[in-house]
Amino acid sequence: MTKPAATNRHWASMNEVGFVAGMRLLFWIFRYFGRWPFRIVLYPVLLWYVMLQAVPRRASMDYLRRMNAYRAVRQGWLGVFRHFAAFAESILDKMLLWGGLFKTEQVQYHGQEQIHAQMLTRSGAVLICSHQGNLEMCRVLSRDFPDVKLTILVHTKHAQAFNRMLGQLDPHSQMDLLQVTEMTPATAMLLAEKIAGGGFVVIAGDRIPVAPQPRVACAKFLGQDAAFPVGPYVLASILQCPVYLLFSLQMDGVPQVRFELLRESVRLPRKDRDTMLQELIAAYAARLEHYCVQAPLQWFNFYDFWYIPHLEQTDASR
């Protein structure tokens, strides 16, 4: 059944509205007065946003309803408010990181030995991340460890104001971003060079491509099929490199970065291409679900994630 147009908008069409402008003011308040004054002023901003923005509000309600089957979470408007409050806190942490005010020594790493071992091979890998927690921790910390070279594939058009603001806090915040709307041969060659040089290519695995007929596959996520992009796995097969998962979240107030090996290599034979892609995406979705249940308010996809777009039904012919 086709859902109303208002509820099945692509994530890239979501506007930033005044949220970034509000966060700029709140960052100033935090900088001079601390986190509790920041939170006191934050609540009216959040209330305004939640009341006026119906699409993200409904998306949050839907997500929390699904999550409640796995872990008890607050429902309704209060649940949405808490969800957006966590989102605002994550944006503040991004700004603090680039402003040099975040205590990076508090970050706990898990699975980093796998990344160190990969670096010893002098060849890089694909890191598949998600819109959970605060990925900026990895980008900033990579500057402190110059041997780790990250190239992050993004579609920044939907967040130009926020990226400009990060750039004002620290020009280095834009250094490792590569805007990609589609994977061209030239882009693949560039990324192959980075992998061969020991670099890591970071790409999100939980948002479908910006295309009229996105190349995706479906997997169970929180009890229902959802569309996930096949691009990260096709990219890994082209680059002939390992695939790791990267999750960033806070547990008991402690920021964590977790690395997990998904596959030593990805092979997509023409005959079994679709089957292999389904298996890879199902494995990713299972791990994403695991961490969402661990930190249910820290997954920030405020659109109809379970809406299935018009898909390219077969990827095997490519």
Side-chain angles (χ1 to χ4, degrees):
M1 178 181 295
T2 302
K3 296 185 179 183
T7 63
N8 55 9
R9 292 166 60 187
H10 192 284
W11 62 265
S13 69
M14 302 295 290
N15 293 321
E16 297 161 288
V17 201
F19 200 72
V20 169
M23 287 306 302
R24 189 191 301 271
L25 169 64
L26 291 168
F27 175 71
W28 181 87
I29 291 172
F30 173 88
R31 192 164 196 164
Y32 290 97
F33 300 102
R35 199 159 200 130
W36 275 110
F38 157 83
R39 287 171 174 161
I40 292 171
V41 180
L42 169 67
Y43 295 147
V45 176
L46 285 178
L47 183 61
W48 168 84
Y49 188 83
V50 170
M51 289 182 65
L52 293 186
Q53 301 302 312
V55 173
R57 183 178 68 240
R58 285 195 295 262
S60 177
M61 285 184 176
D62 183 41
Y63 164 72
L64 295 174
R65 176 182 59 80
R66 297 173 188 275
M67 174 56 67
N68 202 50
Y70 295 79
R71 177 173 175 173
V73 291
R74 180 76 68 176
Q75 301 293 296
W77 281 73
L78 181 56
V80 171
F81 192 83
R82 293 180 62 195
H83 195 188
F84 273 95
F87 180 49
E89 294 272 357
S90 76
I91 291 179
L92 174 64
D93 284 342
K94 294 175 193 287
M95 297 163 67
L96 295 178
L97 279 162
W98 290 115
L101 301 175
F102 191 90
K103 297 179 180 179
T104 55
E105 66 276 6
Q106 295 179 348
V107 179
Q108 294 182 356
Y109 283 93
H110 300 268
Q112 69 272 29
E113 65 279 355
Q114 301 176 70
I115 301 300
H116 292 156
Q118 183 64 40
M119 291 170 60
L120 292 176
T121 69
R122 299 186 181 279
S123 180
V126 168
L127 284 172
I128 303 179
C129 65
S130 67
H131 289 81
Q132 182 184 51
N134 187 0
L135 184 61
E136 306 297 319
M137 284 192 293
C138 302
R139 287 170 55 187
V140 174
L141 291 174
S142 69
R143 294 183 320 180
D144 299 330
F145 301 93
D147 291 339
V148 179
K149 301 174 183 177
L150 300 181
T151 299
I152 303 177
L153 305 188
V154 295
H155 177 73
T156 59
K157 291 181 179 178
H158 73 291
Q160 289 177 341
F162 183 63
N163 280 280
R164 282 196 302 271
M165 183 169 60
L166 290 181
Q168 291 168 1
L169 291 174
D170 185 346
H172 293 289
S173 68
Q174 308 301 305
M175 283 181 56
D176 52 4
L177 300 183
L178 179 62
Q179 183 168 315
V180 177
T181 54
E182 60 179 339
M183 188 59 61
T184 65
T187 303
M189 290 178 61
L190 173 63
L191 297 178
E193 292 176 1
K194 292 184 178 295
I195 293 291
F200 292 83
V201 175
V202 184
I203 183 171
D206 62 344
R207 284 190 180 173
I208 62 177
V210 183
Q213 293 182 317
R215 297 171 65 187
V216 303
C218 293
K220 290 287 185 185
F221 179 65
L222 295 180
Q224 183 177 332
D225 279 348
F228 292 87
V230 302
Y233 315 97
V234 173
L235 177 63
S237 71
I238 294 172
L239 301 181
Q240 298 182 356
C241 64
V243 179
Y244 293 87
L245 304 182
L246 167 60
F247 296 98
S248 170
L249 63 158
Q250 288 213 19
M251 299 298 294
D252 298 322
V254 179
Q256 298 184 1
V257 176
R258 293 179 173 268
F259 300 97
E260 297 183 2
L261 176 65
L262 181 67
R263 293 290 188 276
E264 288 281 0
S265 63
V266 175
R267 298 287 184 268
L268 298 176
R270 196 173 191 84
K271 181 179 179 182
D272 299 319
R273 187 181 181 91
D274 288 346
T275 301
M276 290 297 298
L277 287 170
Q278 290 276 358
E279 291 178 359
L280 289 164
I281 286 172
Y284 169 80
R287 297 310 294 159
L288 177 61
E289 179 177 284
H290 168 79
Y291 285 110
C292 284
V293 172
Q294 294 293 311
L297 297 182
Q298 296 180 40
W299 189 60
F300 308 126
N301 273 324
F302 296 110
Y303 67 99
D304 188 355
F305 190 80
W306 285 266
Y307 169 71
I308 306 297
H310 178 66
L311 310 181
E312 290 188 7
Q313 294 298 327
T314 248
D315 198 59
S317 61
R318 294 177 177 266

